[in-house]
Amino acid sequence: MREIRLNIVRNEDLSYSVFICSSEWGSVLNKVVSSIKPTSVAIVTDTIVSKLHLRSIVSYLPEGINYVTVEIPAGEKYKTRKMKEYIEDKMLKFGVDRKGLVIAFGGGVVGDIGGFVAATYMRGIPFIQVPTTLLSMIDSSIGGKVAVDTPYGKNMIGSFYQPKAVVINVDFLKTLPSEQIKNGLAEVIKHAIIADKNFFDFLLENRNDILELVNDKLEELIEVGCSIKKKVVESDEKESGLRKILNFGHTVGHAIESVSNYKILHGFAVSVGMVIEAQVSNKIGILPKEDLEKIKEILSLYGLPTSLRELKLKPRIISDMVRFMRSDKKSISGEIHMSLPKRIGEMIDSFSLPVEESLILSVFRDQFI
Ligand SMILES: NC(=O)c1ccc[n+]([C@@H]2O[C@H](COP(=O)([O-])OP(=O)(O)OC[C@H]3O[C@@H](n4cnc5c(N)ncnc54)[C@H](O)[C@@H]3O)[C@@H](O)[C@H]2O)c1
């Protein structure tokens, strides 16, 4: 088992551990839950994860504990305020009180909505993240951003609310469809590009083992990936500066998701977003050409797309993408901002920069040549 400690001390100590386990995960979970001494437990999960792994998690809860399982349908479209209410009502009906515990058991959707329920239920009760997708293991379960989507945009209603612990079992990845593995790998590669050249080389060298889900390599990958997110989150819990570097590939990635009506998986959109933003960085003389080529190479090696054409998008979507980026949360006074890499493993010192629309348009057009 590997353990990473996140040190978050604000007005109170919000520090917690991320446990990266395989066969021993059940006993770790049992200890973590026992140490919180909850009056009852609400396991928030989705229908797919429930079918595959609910029996396992239940068998590791402390003996005799009162628990309720709240299942939501799987998928982003259920990360809504309505579904949050549904979960809360189930918990209220069961009698979960202020000393109760939420276990968010699933991918990023369940983590975000389950965490948000915990943040507001009786003004806040403890919660644990038990992530089951690669994306949630290295990204969404860490950092305390919890939210639901609205018709006006994704993650528009939410909070910063830290879990008491994150318990990862890499064996859960064995049941995850390969598209979802790739979806998470895009964020893993992003972590390497923004902060760690050695990690980038590790990902290049160990591609076969990683794609074959060899436990040792997965644990190492998750440990380094989480450590990178830890460093960023510790120094900037509420996204005022350094945390912006996590947005690399996301200014364009979010626009791609939006114009595809969220049919393109997040990681695939971010993969192309990273290439485009790296091209922008190269065009304004920041990122060397050689590093740009390496970024494209690693994404291709992991079976991720590197152009808008590969995503089967048509040139006519360009204007919609620019419009989206102008009104996105990351823009400032309508000016498009991007977090750009300086070289592999390092981002620009100011974390993000305003970028001229004419430059973005020319990079977009090049994507279709
Ligand atoms: N809070 C944050 O900091 C943060 C960061 C990044 C992304 N997110 C959010 O995360 C969400 C995406 O997360 P995701 O990619 O994990 O999607 P997801 O939760 O929708 O999971 C993807 C699919 O995999 C299934 N699944 C989960 N675990 C499985 C397993 N072990 N075996 C088989 N199937 C399994 C799910 O049922 C679902 O159908 C988005 O809502 C995004 O906004 C949040």
Side-chain angles (χ1 to χ4, degrees), residues 8-196:
I8 300 183
V9 182
R10 300 290 178 259
N11 293 335
E12 52 183 322
D13 187 0
L14 302 173
S15 305
Y16 56 98
S17 289
V18 179
F19 300 98
I20 304 161
C21 327
S22 50
S23 54
E24 70 287 16
W25 88 282
S27 62
V28 174
L29 180 82
N30 184 290
K31 273 192 203 130
V32 168
V33 175
S34 303
S35 70
I36 295 171
K37 300 191 184 75
T39 45
S40 63
V41 171
I43 303 173
V44 177
T45 187
D46 73 27
T47 40
I48 294 178
V49 177
S50 169
K51 204 173 280 170
L52 292 164
H53 303 294
L54 184 67
R55 206 179 309 165
S56 163
I57 193 168
V58 166
S59 73
Y60 291 118
L61 291 180
E63 233 180 283
I65 199 152
N66 255 336
Y67 74 91
V68 59
T69 304
V70 188
E71 260 181 44
I72 61 171
E76 182 74 34
K77 70 173 180 209
Y78 298 103
K79 201 175 106 178
T80 59
R81 282 174 279 185
K82 210 167 153 196
M83 207 44 81
K84 178 174 180 271
E85 247 177 67
Y86 168 79
I87 298 168
E88 290 159 348
D89 287 351
K90 285 261 172 186
M91 287 169 56
L92 289 165
K93 193 166 171 204
F94 184 78
V96 176
D97 65 18
R98 289 173 54 200
K99 295 260 155 65
L101 169 73
V102 169
I103 301 182
F105 183 45
V109 165
V110 161
D112 279 10
I113 197 169
F116 191 29
V117 166
T120 58
Y121 190 84
M122 300 194 179
R123 299 201 175 85
I125 62 172
F127 89 110
I128 296 174
Q129 292 269 19
V130 182
T132 60
T133 61
L134 182 56
L135 182 129
S136 54
M137 290 180 189
I138 58 112
D139 194 355
S140 61
S141 65
I142 303 156
K145 284 210 291 184
V146 293
V148 290
D149 300 335
T150 72
Y152 304 94
K154 280 184 65 177
N155 299 318
M156 286 297 183
I157 308 290
S159 179
F160 286 91
Y161 194 67
Q162 302 295 342
K164 292 289 174 210
V166 181
V167 182
I168 295 172
N169 173 10
V170 293
D171 283 328
F172 287 141
L173 297 177
K174 307 280 157 49
T175 59
L176 194 64
S178 73
E179 290 294 277
Q180 292 292 344
I181 296 280
K182 284 191 207 165
N183 189 41
L185 281 167
E187 293 288 351
V188 172
I189 294 168
K190 180 198 78 180
H191 281 47
I193 297 169
I194 63 175
D196 192 337

Side-chain angles (χ1 to χ4, degrees), residues 134 188 199 202-203 210 217-225:
L134 182 56
V188 172
F199 187 40
F202 165 86
L203 294 175
I210 291 169
K217 295 295 175 205
L218 286 179
E219 286 179 31
E220 190 170 346
L221 175 151
I222 293 166
E223 183 179 21
V224 181

Side-chain angles (χ1 to χ4, degrees), residues 243-261:
R243 197 158 173 171
K244 286 188 187 145
I245 68 171
L246 295 171
N247 287 332
F248 171 52
H250 284 64
T251 301
V252 174
H254 284 150
I256 293 173
E257 283 186 283
S258 159
V259 298
S260 79
N261 260 328

Side-chain angles (χ1 to χ4, degrees), residues 152-339:
Y152 304 94
K154 280 184 65 177
N155 299 318
M156 286 297 183
I157 308 290
S159 179
F160 286 91
Y161 194 67
Q162 302 295 342
K164 292 289 174 210
V166 181
V167 182
I168 295 172
N169 173 10
V170 293
D171 283 328
F172 287 141
L173 297 177
K174 307 280 157 49
T175 59
L176 194 64
S178 73
E179 290 294 277
Q180 292 292 344
I181 296 280
K182 284 191 207 165
N183 189 41
L185 281 167
E187 293 288 351
V188 172
I189 294 168
K190 180 198 78 180
H191 281 47
I193 297 169
I194 63 175
D196 192 337
K197 168 81 169 66
N198 291 336
F199 187 40
F200 189 90
D201 294 338
F202 165 86
L203 294 175
L204 278 177
E205 279 155 30
N206 295 285
R207 178 178 63 116
N208 289 340
D209 283 353
I210 291 169
L211 288 173
E212 281 166 23
L213 306 181
V214 173
N215 272 10
D216 276 5
K217 295 295 175 205
L218 286 179
E219 286 179 31
E220 190 170 346
L221 175 151
I222 293 166
E223 183 179 21
V224 181
C226 289
S227 303
I228 291 170
K229 182 135 187 199
K230 159 196 153 83
K231 274 189 214 141
V232 175
V233 170
E234 275 178 356
S235 66
D236 182 16
E237 188 201 353
K238 300 217 165 148
E239 232 168 33
S240 45
L242 181 67
R243 197 158 173 171
K244 286 188 187 145
I245 68 171
L246 295 171
N247 287 332
F248 171 52
H250 284 64
T251 301
V252 174
H254 284 150
I256 293 173
E257 283 186 283
S258 159
V259 298
S260 79
N261 260 328
Y262 296 91
K263 290 203 177 78
I264 293 174
L265 277 180
H266 178 73
F268 287 60
V270 166
S271 177
V272 175
M274 286 193 282
V275 173
I276 292 176
E277 292 178 22
Q279 281 168 333
V280 166
S281 183
N282 173 254
K283 280 217 172 184
I284 51 183
I286 299 174
L287 182 75
K289 180 92 181 150
E290 192 194 335
D291 285 22
L292 167 62
E293 292 308 321
K294 277 198 182 149
I295 290 174
K296 284 198 234 170
E297 182 199 349
I298 195 168
L299 293 167
S300 296
L301 283 171
Y302 275 98
L304 286 158
T306 57
S307 72
L308 293 171
R309 194 159 23 107
E310 242 180 291
L311 291 175
K312 301 200 167 42
L313 292 171
K314 300 277 184 291
R316 67 182 136 79
I317 52 91
I318 289 178
S319 51
D320 289 344
M321 285 182 54
V322 172
R323 204 171 311 123
F324 177 92
M325 290 193 287
R326 244 185 252 139
S327 61
D328 187 40
K329 276 192 295 214
K330 293 178 282 304
S331 69
I332 301 171
S333 312
E335 217 173 24
I336 299 170
H337 279 237
M338 288 183 182
S339 303

